[in-house]
Amino acid sequence: MKKIIKITALLLMLALSTTMMFGCGSSDVYKVITEPTFPPFDTTDEEGNLTGFDMDLMTAIAEDQGFEVEFESMGFDALIPAIQAGSADIIAAGMNGMDPARQKKVDFSDFYYDSGLVVLVKEDNNAIKGIDDLTKDMKVASQIETTGGDKATELADNGTIAEAVILDQFDTCVLQLINGDVNAVIIDLPVAKSYIDKQPGKVKIVGETLNAESYAFAVQKGNKELLDKINAGLKNLKDNGKFDEIYDKWFK
């Protein structure tokens, strides 16, 4: 009888210690998805690891709020469907949180970066000085499911240009521009600047900035708990100077 009592007590102690171990050491782990051809927000380093302003900012938010993140890449057009399906938790991909169509599909955090669109042409192109110089015989490229893609499609639909060439990645858009397959690319200003800094003498920005927009993180509709964590962390980073530190790393 005593032996049975001792075994029972031992099992209870083991169960309790296991519960305490997992209870004290556990933390929420959220899957963060991105499309890593959007530098300096989302890109890969020389070893192929996901990196960029969005990755650093989300990692800092997670540290501030006491949760963990794991990053995964996928096509830009697959990001929102993944969140809707529940196969991922957070989008960190330089996504315009002002887009009404997207706001119907996901919930956005507070804005963390103000941006806009620009026209990109080859360095030796002096005929196109801005969006008003695009003509009916021209092809304009942009990335799928982006506001730049929407703008290029709009220009094609109203007959301003001959064709909107919508591609999976920004890098492919610029490659087609350099090769002469398209006449211009419409893309977000900071991404265009980052490319020019890394590949000087190939392309240039012309004209004024278009379509002001603001970037935000996205979560599944109704996930207020996670959204509140992201917003609280973002505010704390702005208040304690960590946001500026991350910003300076990628933009200065």
Side-chain angles (χ1 to χ4, degrees), residues 42-72:
D42 315 287
T43 186
T44 52
D45 61 21
E46 293 179 353
E47 287 75 37
N49 300 310
L50 292 172
T51 187
F53 179 72
D54 284 341
M55 275 67 259
D56 282 0
L57 185 57
M58 180 50 63
T59 299
I61 289 172
E63 291 175 354
D64 180 86
Q65 292 296 298
F67 61 84
E68 297 179 8
V69 289
E70 55 182 29
F71 296 102
E72 183 177 313

Side-chain angles (χ1 to χ4, degrees), residues 33-234:
I33 52 177
T34 190
E35 195 286 304
T37 64
F38 201 67
F41 295 92
D42 315 287
T43 186
T44 52
D45 61 21
E46 293 179 353
E47 287 75 37
N49 300 310
L50 292 172
T51 187
F53 179 72
D54 284 341
M55 275 67 259
D56 282 0
L57 185 57
M58 180 50 63
T59 299
I61 289 172
E63 291 175 354
D64 180 86
Q65 292 296 298
F67 61 84
E68 297 179 8
V69 289
E70 55 182 29
F71 296 102
E72 183 177 313
S73 65
M74 60 179 62
F76 196 86
D77 58 336
L79 297 177
I80 288 180
I83 292 294
Q84 290 178 307
S87 57
D89 302 296
I90 304 169
I91 296 174
M95 184 170 281
N96 178 19
M98 298 173 66
D99 188 320
R102 289 176 180 160
Q103 290 173 354
K104 294 177 181 179
K105 300 175 181 178
V106 293
D107 285 339
F108 284 104
S109 71
D110 295 335
F111 300 141
Y112 63 85
Y113 189 92
D114 295 326
S115 183
L117 302 175
V118 292
V119 177
L120 206 60
V121 299
K122 291 179 69 173
E123 179 67 34
D124 60 359
N125 186 331
N126 296 314
I128 301 175
K129 296 180 172 62
I131 195 167
D132 292 338
D133 293 320
L134 300 177
T135 59
K136 294 180 179 180
D137 60 340
M138 293 182 180
K139 294 181 180 181
V140 177
S142 193
Q143 189 177 16
I144 191 171
E145 291 293 327
T146 64
T147 49
D150 292 342
K151 186 64 178 178
T153 301
E154 175 190 326
L155 293 173
D157 288 346
N158 64 29
T160 299
I161 61 174
E163 182 182 350
V165 180
I166 308 302
L167 303 168
D168 288 337
Q169 299 180 351
F170 167 65
D171 290 350
T172 310
C173 296
V174 178
L175 183 61
Q176 288 216 1
L177 176 62
I178 293 171
N179 290 341
D181 298 320
V182 299
N183 303 94
V185 172
I186 296 179
I187 195 68
D188 295 67
L189 174 61
V191 182
K193 284 184 174 179
S194 175
Y195 187 90
I196 292 171
D197 288 343
K198 293 179 180 179
Q199 303 285 342
K202 293 186 177 181
V203 296
K204 63 183 179 182
I205 297 169
V206 293
E208 298 179 354
T209 304
L210 317 165
N211 293 46
E213 57 187 49
S214 297
Y215 297 163
F217 301 113
V219 302
Q220 191 175 55
K221 270 288 183 185
N223 194 345
K224 186 176 184 300
E225 180 182 358
L226 179 53
L227 197 65
D228 287 346
K229 289 180 182 179
I230 294 172
N231 285 335
L234 185 58

